[in-house]
Amino acid sequence: MEKHGTGGNWIAFPQKAGLKRCGKSCRLRWLNYLRPNIKHGEFSDDEDRIICSLFARIGSRWSIIAGQLPGRTDNDIKNYWNTKLKKKLVGNMHHLKRPPQPATISTHPLISQIPINPPPPPPYNHQYGSTTSFRPLISSTFSAPSSLLPMHGNNYNHQVIFGGEASCSNSSDSTNQIGDQNLGFQSYFSNDRVDDVDADDEGHKFLIAANHGYDHKVNCFGHEQEQEQNPLDYSMEDIKQLITTNHISTNLNFFVDEIKTEPGTLYY
DNA sequence: AATTGCCTCAACCGCGGCTCG
DNA sequence: CCGAGCCGCGGTTGAGGCAAT
């Protein structure tokens, strides 16, 4: 590379360099490992936060995420996420405890008894593009690791995360992915963690939400608008507005309304 | 010491997009 | 408009290392 460069042509590179490799392989090796200023070693907490925040916002767009982390490559971040960071986050979720059921939830027709093992998904309503009876599948207290949350000098441990293209990892049919790309929300719980919510493959939208009932504020990972004070801090009314303006199920709207009444709860 | 299973991460694969003739 | 060539990206693989048994 120092002697010849690529000349904008990786295919010709191995011949110039006398390598028995294809250009593509050389390019990968250079970009991911050999080029100057590549940062190796442990990821810092700050990097963790940036990755999580961006993943929540844009999903597995590793090259874009890498662009925000100088010295890190998309491959590096992808590997880190898949092998460590995701487990770190999900592992924390698995230790969550289920809170007592508040009356407002248990008596609600749409959110009655919240099962530990999710039931089969309701049929997809093709007319309205949403489930006819959206319901939370899992409920538990939630406390994301502080190192993984975008912190801005306050306790934003209450959050709403909209499930997006994180559908079945073993489903290669991308047409089954529902995603709310317009909203820009995506789930931290990619792939395996939400396999039990196969409703997604039917076209159902799902919501992961937690609210610690702190001033009726929620933390919306990754939304870029309305950043007057804190880009990650939204009221329930803001969330409802986002949902309605993006034509997501009114049941969801209703659902979010319910979360407001139950602090310390995580829903799928 | 040998075996097994798990984890990590560099590398591979296939696809989509772009450019150019 | 079409096809070839190339690039970039995201998903996946598998060799090697390590820890547990």
Side-chain angles (χ1 to χ4, degrees):
Chain A
M1 279 296 290
E2 289 172 359
K3 190 173 179 180
H4 299 292
T6 64
N9 188 348
W10 278 106
I11 300 299
F13 180 82
Q15 191 175 10
K16 284 191 287 187
L19 296 170
K20 293 178 180 178
R21 290 271 182 178
C22 67
K24 195 172 181 176
S25 179
C26 292
R27 174 187 164 271
L28 206 66
R29 178 69 172 168
W30 171 258
L31 290 178
N32 286 338
Y33 203 82
L34 295 176
R35 70 184 158 99
N37 304 322
I38 289 288
K39 197 189 289 182
H40 297 286
E42 289 291 304
F43 281 71
S44 66
D45 284 351
D46 280 344
E47 288 175 314
D48 283 359
R49 274 194 287 274
I50 291 171
I51 294 169
C52 285
S53 179
L54 287 173
F55 187 87
R57 182 187 303 175
I58 62 175
S60 57
R61 309 278 292 277
W62 304 119
S63 59
I64 295 174
I65 295 173
Q68 304 302 312
L69 296 172
R72 301 293 187 183
T73 69
D74 55 351
N75 206 40
D76 211 16
I77 295 168
K78 178 174 58 181
N79 283 330
Y80 180 59
W81 172 265
N82 285 330
T83 60
K84 292 181 182 175
L85 200 49
K86 183 169 66 175
K87 290 174 186 173
K88 196 172 170 182
L89 197 63
V90 170
N92 186 283
M93 299 298 180
H94 277 256
H95 289 90
L96 305 176
K97 294 177 182 177
R98 197 180 176 202
Q101 296 295 309
T104 52
I105 297 294
S106 60
T107 57
H108 194 279
L110 294 179
I111 312 174
S112 52
Q113 192 61 39
I114 300 171
I116 293 296
N117 296 314
Y124 180 63
N125 185 327
H126 290 281
Q127 181 180 358
Y128 298 106
S130 64
T131 61
T132 52
S133 60
F134 186 89
R135 59 194 163 184
L137 301 177
I138 299 171
S139 171
S140 59
T141 56
F142 173 79
S143 177
S146 61
S147 65
L148 299 180
L149 291 173
M151 300 295 281
H152 293 271
N154 207 333
N155 177 15
Y156 295 111
N157 231 8
H158 28 283
Q159 57 188 290
V160 167
I161 308 171
F162 289 84
E165 56 189 10
S167 67
C168 257
S169 65
N170 43 11
S171 168
S172 58
D173 185 357
S174 61
T175 61
N176 284 337
Q177 297 182 345
I178 54 105
D180 281 329
Q181 298 286 357
N182 293 336
L183 265 179
F185 293 127
Q186 288 181 310
S187 169
Y188 271 1
F189 304 87
S190 71
N191 307 331
D192 294 342
R193 184 62 183 88
V194 293
D195 270 352
D196 55 352
V197 196
D198 275 343
D200 292 348
D201 288 346
E202 302 291 326
H204 301 135
K205 295 176 178 178
F206 68 93
L207 168 67
I208 298 173
N211 175 26
H212 282 209
Y214 191 72
D215 291 333
H216 292 169
K217 291 284 188 179
V218 293
N219 176 356
C220 290
F221 283 98
H223 205 275
E224 294 178 312
Q225 299 172 354
E226 303 174 27
Q227 300 185 358
E228 280 187 27
Q229 292 184 338
N230 188 318
L232 300 171
D233 202 17
Y234 286 82
S235 71
M236 278 297 171
E237 287 305 315
D238 292 333
I239 299 303
K240 288 171 68 175
Q241 186 62 38
L242 287 170
I243 289 172
T244 52
T245 57
N246 283 278
H247 307 294
I248 299 177
S249 165
T250 53
N251 290 337
L252 264 183
N253 191 2
F254 196 37
F255 172 52
V256 170
D257 215 1
E258 287 297 314
I259 294 174
K260 186 177 176 181
T261 67
E262 187 179 19
T265 306
L266 169 68
Y267 293 102
Y268 289 75

